[in-house]
Amino acid sequence: MSEPQLSAAADLRSSQPPAVSGPSNLRRDLLLRLRVDGPSTPDQLAARLGASRTGVLQQLRALEAAHLVSRQTIRHGVGRPRHLYDITADAQDLFPSGYEGLAAGLLAAIEAVGGTDLLQEVFAARCRQLGTRVREDMAARVADDAPLFERVQELAVIQTGNGYLAGAVANVDGTIRLQEHNCAIFHVASGSPAACQAELELFSDVLGAEVVREQHIIGGDRCCSYRIAARPPD
C-alpha cells in the first residue's frame, strides 16, 4: 500500500467525529459517504457532509491520486460536464472485513472435527503452499547462492508485503535477525499456536538456515524476532 493509501487507511479506521474537523477527517468521510451512497458529484458530497465544495474537491483529487477514488465525466447537453466520483477496488482494503474472524472460526471447526493433529496438518499444508510462493519470489530477486543476510533481507521485504512490517538486522558479532513489528494474523495465531510454529518452519525451509524465535508478539513482546544462522555442514 502506498504512503497516501496508508494515510487514508489510518484516517478511515479512526473513530468518526460528529463533524468534519480537518482534511484527514474529510478524506475519511468522503470514502465512507461514497461507500454508502455510490457515485456522487462534489456538490452532492459537500451538501451531505456540510463541507465546502472547494475542500471536497481538494480531498477528492488527493484520493484520486492515491487510486482510492475514480472520476467519471458525464456530459448532458450544453454547459459544463458533471464529474461523478466513486471508490475504487483499491479502497476496499480500507473498510472493515471479517476475513480474520472467518479464518479463526474455520480453524476452530477443523480442530473440533479432527483435533490438534488435523489442525497441525492444515497449517503444515499451508506452510508448504507459502513456501513455494516465497521461494519463487526470492528466486526472482536474489541468487540462490546469495549471502544469507541478503536472503533474509529479501524475506523481510516479502513479509512486509504480507503486512508484517518486517526488517533484517546484521549485528557486529555476525548474528542475523529478522524482526516482524506486526502480526498480520494476530487473532488466528492467538488461538492456534500451530500458526506460529508453521511460520518458524517456513523461514527455516526457505532460507535453508537455523531459525530460533527470541521474541514473540503473542507472548507480549513488541515484535517477533528470529535469530538466523547458517546450518553447520553435514
Side-chain angles (χ1 to χ4, degrees):
M1 193 178 287
S2 68
E3 192 169 309
Q5 289 174 313
L6 284 172
S7 173
D11 296 340
L12 185 61
R13 289 167 181 154
S14 62
S15 59
Q16 185 173 3
V20 173
S21 58
S24 295
N25 290 329
L26 182 51
R27 281 195 296 272
R28 183 201 59 216
D29 291 346
L30 286 167
L31 288 169
L32 288 170
R33 204 68 266 152
L34 290 171
R35 171 81 277 181
V36 173
D37 297 339
S40 305
T41 66
D43 288 332
Q44 289 170 332
L45 291 165
R48 291 167 188 158
L49 296 174
S52 70
R53 186 178 188 278
T54 300
V56 165
L57 272 175
Q58 182 181 13
Q59 299 310 319
L60 285 172
R61 287 167 184 152
L63 291 168
E64 186 178 11
H67 308 293
L68 298 175
V69 303
S70 61
R71 174 167 48 110
Q72 180 183 9
T73 300
I74 306 295
R75 300 188 180 277
H76 51 96
V78 297
R80 296 170 57 183
R82 287 196 313 158
H83 296 295
L84 285 177
Y85 289 83
D86 198 5
I87 61 169
T88 65
D90 288 346
Q92 181 57 49
D93 290 339
L94 305 181
F95 295 91
S97 67
Y99 294 136
E100 192 173 11
L102 173 63
L106 287 173
L107 291 173
I110 290 169
E111 187 171 16
V113 170
T116 302
D117 289 344
L118 179 58
L119 187 61
Q120 289 176 340
E121 287 182 28
V122 169
F123 277 112
R126 178 59 175 158
C127 181
R128 289 191 292 272
Q129 290 177 336
L130 288 174
T132 299
R133 190 176 70 192
V134 171
R135 276 190 293 272
E136 290 175 351
D137 289 346
M138 291 185 68
R141 302 176 189 177
V142 296
D144 291 340
D145 58 352
L148 179 58
F149 181 58
E150 191 173 326
R151 287 184 284 128
V152 174
Q153 284 181 304
E154 188 54 44
L155 179 58
V157 171
I158 292 170
Q159 286 299 93
T160 293
N162 291 330
Y164 288 87
L165 301 179
V169 178
N171 299 306
V172 293
D173 62 358
T175 58
I176 298 172
R177 283 181 173 82
L178 173 70
Q179 295 176 326
E180 294 178 330
H181 298 278
N182 179 58
C183 179
I185 58 167
F186 181 80
H187 294 295
V188 170
S190 296
S192 304
C196 295
Q197 181 59 33
E199 182 182 61
L200 196 63
E201 294 170 2
L202 170 67
F203 292 166
S204 178
D205 181 46
V206 299
L207 293 172
E210 292 185 344
V211 181
V212 177
R213 183 186 289 114
E214 297 180 317
Q215 293 178 284
H216 200 191
I217 291 175
I218 299 302
D221 295 319
R222 291 296 302 273
C223 72
C224 289
S225 180
Y226 303 86
R227 177 166 48 84
I228 300 170
R231 288 175 180 159
D234 296 331

